[in-house]
Amino acid sequence: MQKLHLSQVLSQKLSPQQIQFIKLLQVPTAELEARVEEELEINPALEEGKEEEKKESEEDNFEDNYEEDLGYDDNEVNLDDYLNDDYGGYKMQGDGNYSPDEEDREMPISSGISLHEQLIAQLGFLKLDERQKTIGKQLIGSIENDGYIRRDLEAIINDLAFSQNIETDLDEMEEILRKIQGFDPAGIAARNLQECLLIQLERKEHPDDPTVQNAIRIINDCFDEFTKKHFTKIQKKLDMGDEDLKESVNMITRLNPKPGGISDGLVKTQYIIPDFILLNTDGKLEVALNSKNAPELRVSRSYSDMFDAYEKSDKKDKKLKETVTFVKQKLDAAKWFIDAIKQRQQTLLKTMHAILDYQQEFFVEGDETKLKPMILKDIAEKIEMDISTVSRVANSKSIQTEFGIFPLKYFFSEGITTESGEDVSNKEVKSVLQSLVDEENKRKPLSDDKLVKMLNDKGYNIARRTVAKYREQLQIPVARLRKEL
C-alpha cells in the first residue's frame, strides 16, 4: 500500500478542509489568536481548555470520520504518519516541558507595510522608464515620517548625480514630484503645510464646489492670515461672507496636516511576535514554539453527550434528524480544527528543526558568514514535504534568538563555490565584499575588477557581473562615486 504525506496530497486537487489548513499554516503567531477566537465564536462545540481523555474507540471513530471528511482514501494516504511523527528534543505547550515563563522572553518588533513601501508600490503603476523610476524612488526616499519632503530639490538632484550617476534638472524633478503628490494618502510629498493642504483640497470629490474653491483661495492667497486666525482680514481681502468663510475654514481644519501618519487605514502597523524561541544552554540548542501557537482547545463534552443521546433515540422524527445532523457537523468541525492546529504545530516544528540542523553554526555564534547556502528544496527534501509547504512556513514565520529576531526566509540563500570546492552562502560573500569596500583607501577606491581579484584570492570563485550585482544589492556605489579627497 502506497503512503502519501499530506503535503503531497495538498499538491493535488484541494478540498475545502485542505485549503483551510493551508491558510492556517500561513497565519503568523500574531494573528493565530484572532483566528482561534473566531472559530470559538462560530462553533459552540469547540471550547478552550485541556483536551479530555478519550476512549480508544472514540479516537478510532474520529480518525475514520476525519479522513473520510477530507476525501482521503485509506489506500492513498496514511494520516497517522503525518499526525504522529516524533519530534523529540522540542518543547510544546501541553507536553509538560514548556514553561509559561518563556513567553516573557518575547520581544515583539514593529512590522507591516511602511509608508515608503506603499508609495513605491504606487510608483510601479505609473508609466515611467527605469531612469524616471529611479528619480521617483529617490524622491520617495526623501519623504520624512510625517509625509513631507523638506530637502531642497537641488540637493536631491545632486544626490542622484553622485549616487546613481543620473543627470536631471529641476523641471523633470518637479514633474515626477507632482505625480507622486497624486498618490495616497492625499497630501503626501508636499514641501510645506501650505502645499500639503492645497493638494488635499484639489483632490476633493467635487473640486468645483464653492466651499472647496473658497478654501483653495484662503490657502493660496491668505495662508499667513489663516495661520494667525486673522479671519476679518481674510473676509475683507477675499470679499467673503461669514457663512462661506465658516464652511471653508471648517473644511480646511478637517484636512490632515501630517499625511505620513496613520491615515485612512493605509499605513497599518502590526507587531511581529516570534513563532519560535531559541534557547542556547551551554551550547545545547533547544527551540520552543511560542505558547500562542499552542492554544489549549477541546471538544465540548456537553455537545458530545448531546450527540450520544440523540444517536440512541428514535430517528424517525424529522426535526430530531436535523438536530443530530447539526450537532454532528459542529462536533466534526471542532475535532477537525483541533487536529489542524496540532498539524500546524508539528509542521512548524519539523521545518524549524531542519533549518536549525542545517544552520547549526549560525545559531551557535550568530555570525552571518557561518550561514550555509540553503534553498527551499533542501529543507523540503530533509523533512519529506512539498516545497510549497516549506515556502508557506518560511515566508510568514520568525524566530527569536539571543542575536535578535530573524524571519525564517533570512536563512535561505543561494551558494557560491570556493576554490576548494566548498559551497558558501552568498550572504558570506556579500559580507566579505562589504568589508573590502569599508577598508579600501577612499582616495583610490577599488574597482569591480579589483574586487573580483581580491575575492578570488580569498578563494571565492565569483564573476565580475556577480560582484556588480552584489554591490548594487548592498547599495554600494561604483568606485568613482566612492572617491574622496
Side-chain angles (χ1 to χ4, degrees), residues 387-401:
I387 289 177
S388 63
T389 303
V390 177
S391 176
R392 288 183 178 99
V393 174
N395 283 335
S396 58
K397 306 296 181 294
S398 59
I399 182 169
Q400 178 182 310
T401 74

Side-chain angles (χ1 to χ4, degrees), residues 207-309:
D208 295 326
D209 182 275
T211 303
V212 177
Q213 288 298 308
N214 284 333
I216 291 173
R217 288 172 65 205
I218 290 170
I219 299 302
N220 253 332
D221 304 328
C222 304
F223 184 70
D224 190 50
E225 290 88 344
F226 173 77
T227 59
K228 295 174 181 176
K229 298 185 179 180
H230 291 168
F231 298 125
T232 305
K233 291 183 179 180
I234 294 173
Q235 280 185 286
K236 187 177 179 180
K237 188 173 181 178
L238 300 179
D239 191 23
M240 195 178 293
D242 289 345
E243 197 59 35
D244 290 341
L245 177 67
K246 184 179 178 181
E247 287 178 3
S248 295
V249 169
N250 283 340
M251 176 176 283
I252 294 168
T253 54
R254 288 196 297 269
L255 299 175
N256 184 5
K258 293 184 179 180
I262 296 174
S263 171
D264 299 324
L266 285 167
V267 181
K268 198 173 183 180
T269 300
Q270 62 186 39
Y271 287 90
I272 290 179
I273 297 174
D275 302 85
F276 307 94
I277 298 169
L278 183 69
L279 304 176
N280 187 340
T281 309
D282 298 326
K284 183 184 178 183
L285 299 178
E286 291 183 275
V287 69
L289 262 182
N290 186 305
S291 64
K292 288 182 171 61
N293 273 305
E296 290 186 340
L297 298 170
R298 67 187 179 196
V299 174
S300 167
R301 174 52 62 185
S302 60
Y303 252 69
S304 296
D305 292 343
M306 191 189 310
F307 180 70
D308 290 342

Side-chain angles (χ1 to χ4, degrees), residues 415-427:
I416 293 288
T417 305
T418 64
E419 204 171 57
S420 61
E422 180 188 1
D423 279 341
V424 296
S425 168
N426 61 14
K427 288 182 184 290

